[in-house]
Amino acid sequence: MPPASDVVAIVKAHQITHIRLYDADPHMLKALAGSGIEVTVGVTNEEVLGIGESASAAAAWINKNVAAYMPSTNITAIAVGSEVLTSVPHAAPVLVTAMNNLHKALVAADLNFQVKVSTPQSMDIIPKPFPPSTATFNSSWNSTIYQLLQFLKNTNSYYMLNAYPYYGYTNGNGIFPIDYALFKPLPSVKQIVDPNTLFHYNSMFDAMVDATYYSMDALNFSVIPIVVTETGWPWQGGSNEPDATVENAETFVNKLIQRVSNNSGPPSQPTIPINTYIYELFNEDKRPGPISEKNWGLLFTNGTAVFPLSLGGPSQITGNSTAVFCVAKDDASEDKLRDGINWACGQGQANCSAIQSGQPCYLPNNIKNHASYAYNDYYQKMHTVGGTCDFDGTATTTTIDPSKFAQSFLFIMLLLILSAIFIC
């Protein structure tokens, strides 16, 4: 894995504004300081029992892993365990107690208004998610889930859901077409409709979220928003995993981004956006299990994307027939521009030799022009694999070739290096 500082640089280069950590890794939390990125930290499954049995352990955890890094690191949520009810059911009796203990510790530290507490749960606790209108939680967990929902309502928090259409499709015995799992439009004769509500579902993702809303409603909780804390699609699998392909992963992720970016909810809750975390940033090559388990990463560890994607949302430039250039903004501060140049010429692997003293693009010798050169060199190489033009808010795209400005300047200054102008 890259050092934490490099991971944060990669995250910023891809315009990622929210990340979820599975633990409270101190290197990552330090590296995220000052980035403004919203961070969800995780209590590991191994820690849940101890925190559930001891309020002092919860307070110590908050002091060590949250309070110590705020406000420099923008921690906004704590995910207590991961799919506790299905993965470590022996910890289920103290799960909500652990959440309460952590919340009380946040109150004592005066951080409860900035940091929400919740716990990610699998779709597996809903035995029959379709049709969504009749979905209910597994009744054997009703007592724990009721306490959980009451806690979320009392603390104005949200339900964390791990929703995987990949598994919904591959484990579905052919009940649903793959296009439904991949956000692809279905022909009229194959529309997926809830027979009770007559709601049309254009994606399995929406149906999973709605099944969870209806399950909460069955327990008389109807105002708790859902945040999808994991979803994605593996891009490589074994011979018995034919649907784990780069093409399918690219389709799922990019259409997911389009879906989530329209800020609408599922059919039963159209006004509640489905805020979503994509699983995951890098591959886990040592993860046990089938080949697909190791290959969910969006990026390689050098920061390049496995397939073209636009994590910045619909406004991000994705490339078209008009040439697009990346240049420094006029109002950007010089300190931030220097940071941007250092990243582009270092971690970003831009070729910045031409803007060194005595080289063809050294003039005009000012920070903005040097930043524009470095930014554009990085962008031209990387935008087709997910590289972005942001640089901590100091860059923007333009269809005007920035070399024309350099040409005008050099002409006025009567500098006779015209042969180099057109590449600057």
Side-chain angles (χ1 to χ4, degrees):
M1 290 293 292
S5 58
D6 289 355
V7 174
V8 174
I10 290 168
V11 166
K12 292 169 71 175
H14 285 279
Q15 294 183 301
I16 296 168
T17 58
H18 297 66
I19 67 169
R20 175 188 168 202
L21 306 177
Y22 278 91
D23 53 17
D25 179 79
H27 301 293
M28 280 299 301
L29 290 172
K30 286 180 183 176
L32 285 160
S35 68
I37 294 169
E38 293 194 21
V39 183
T40 295
V41 294
V43 174
T44 64
N45 283 344
E46 293 75 20
E47 294 172 309
V48 172
L49 272 174
I51 290 173
E53 293 170 350
S54 168
S56 61
W61 196 95
I62 292 295
N63 288 333
K64 177 184 177 182
N65 299 304
V66 179
Y69 299 99
M70 293 181 70
S72 297
T73 301
N74 188 18
I75 299 172
T76 58
I78 300 170
V80 183
S82 178
E83 303 184 351
V84 169
L85 299 187
T86 50
S87 59
V88 282
H90 65 277
V94 298
L95 174 60
V96 179
T97 304
M99 297 169 70
N100 265 307
N101 287 345
L102 291 165
H103 178 72
K104 289 175 181 176
L106 289 171
V107 172
D110 199 26
L111 294 172
N112 55 301
F113 290 107
Q114 293 115 292
V115 184
K116 300 297 182 184
V117 177
S118 188
T119 178
Q121 295 303 330
S122 163
M123 279 297 298
D124 290 341
I125 64 173
I126 302 174
K128 296 180 180 179
F130 198 89
S133 62
T134 60
T136 58
F137 293 115
N138 187 325
S139 59
S140 62
W141 294 117
N142 270 2
S143 176
T144 298
I145 294 173
Y146 185 89
Q147 295 173 43
L148 166 61
L149 297 176
Q150 192 65 59
F151 171 86
L152 298 178
K153 182 178 180 180
N154 292 344
T155 59
N156 196 31
S157 188
Y158 47 84
Y159 186 96
M160 292 181 169
L161 171 67
N162 293 349
Y164 286 102
Y166 173 75
Y167 292 122
Y169 169 71
T170 56
N171 298 333
N173 299 316
I175 296 173
F176 297 107
I178 191 169
D179 286 353
Y180 177 56
L182 291 173
F183 295 92
K184 289 184 176 180
L186 297 172
S188 57
V189 294
K190 292 185 178 180
Q191 293 291 303
I192 308 298
V193 180
D194 186 316
N196 303 306
T197 61
L198 299 184
F199 285 145
H200 285 240
Y201 287 90
N202 297 319
S203 71
M204 187 181 291
F205 177 79
D206 277 72
M208 287 178 164
V209 174
D210 240 0
T212 308
Y213 274 121
Y214 279 110
S215 296
M216 288 193 283
D217 192 58
L219 292 177
N220 296 314
F221 290 92
S222 57
V223 292
I224 300 171
I226 290 171
V227 169
V228 175
T229 37
E230 290 179 29
T231 194
W233 197 282
W235 55 268
Q236 185 176 341
S239 58
N240 61 335
E241 300 175 297
D243 303 299
T245 66
V246 171
E247 181 183 7
N248 285 346
E250 178 181 353
T251 297
F252 180 87
V253 170
N254 282 309
K255 286 187 176 295
L256 169 75
I257 293 169
Q258 293 174 16
R259 165 67 188 89
V260 171
S261 296
N262 70 20
N263 289 325
S264 67
S268 80
Q269 303 289 340
T271 63
I272 304 178
I274 312 174
N275 294 326
T276 299
Y277 290 81
I278 303 174
Y279 179 88
E280 60 188 327
L281 197 62
F282 302 117
N283 278 345
E284 296 181 72
D285 58 301
K286 295 183 178 180
R287 190 179 180 93
I291 293 174
S292 63
E293 283 292 305
K294 310 173 192 293
N295 292 288
W296 293 74
L298 297 180
L299 309 177
F300 296 110
T301 52
N302 66 357
T304 60
V306 174
F307 46 79
L309 77 164
S310 175
L311 288 167
S315 62
Q316 185 176 327
I317 300 295
T318 55
N320 51 40
S321 58
T322 302
V324 175
F325 305 91
C326 181
V327 298
K329 290 182 178 178
D330 291 334
D331 59 352
S333 75
E334 290 196 359
D335 287 343
K336 281 194 170 185
L337 288 174
R338 287 192 184 91
D339 290 342
I341 292 173
N342 290 338
W343 188 91
C345 299
Q347 175 69 28
Q349 301 180 17
N351 183 354
C352 298
S353 59
I355 55 175
Q356 305 307 308
S357 179
Q359 297 304 307
C361 299
Y362 178 68
L363 297 171
N365 179 21
N366 63 63
I367 192 75
K368 179 177 179 291
N369 281 282
H370 288 182
S372 291
Y373 181 93
Y375 291 179
N376 192 55
D377 189 86
Y378 166 83
Y379 183 73
Q380 298 307 322
K381 292 175 180 176
M382 304 300 290
H383 78 276
T384 58
V385 291
T388 61
C389 180
D390 181 70
F391 294 93
D392 198 19
T394 64
T396 187
T397 54
T398 178
T399 56
I400 301 173
D401 187 343
S403 70
K404 303 304 181 186
F405 297 112
Q407 182 180 0
S408 299
F409 178 87
L410 294 174
F411 179 79
I412 293 170
M413 297 297 292
L414 300 178
L415 296 176
L416 304 179
I417 53 171
L418 297 178
S419 62
I421 288 171
F422 296 97
I423 62 168
C424 297

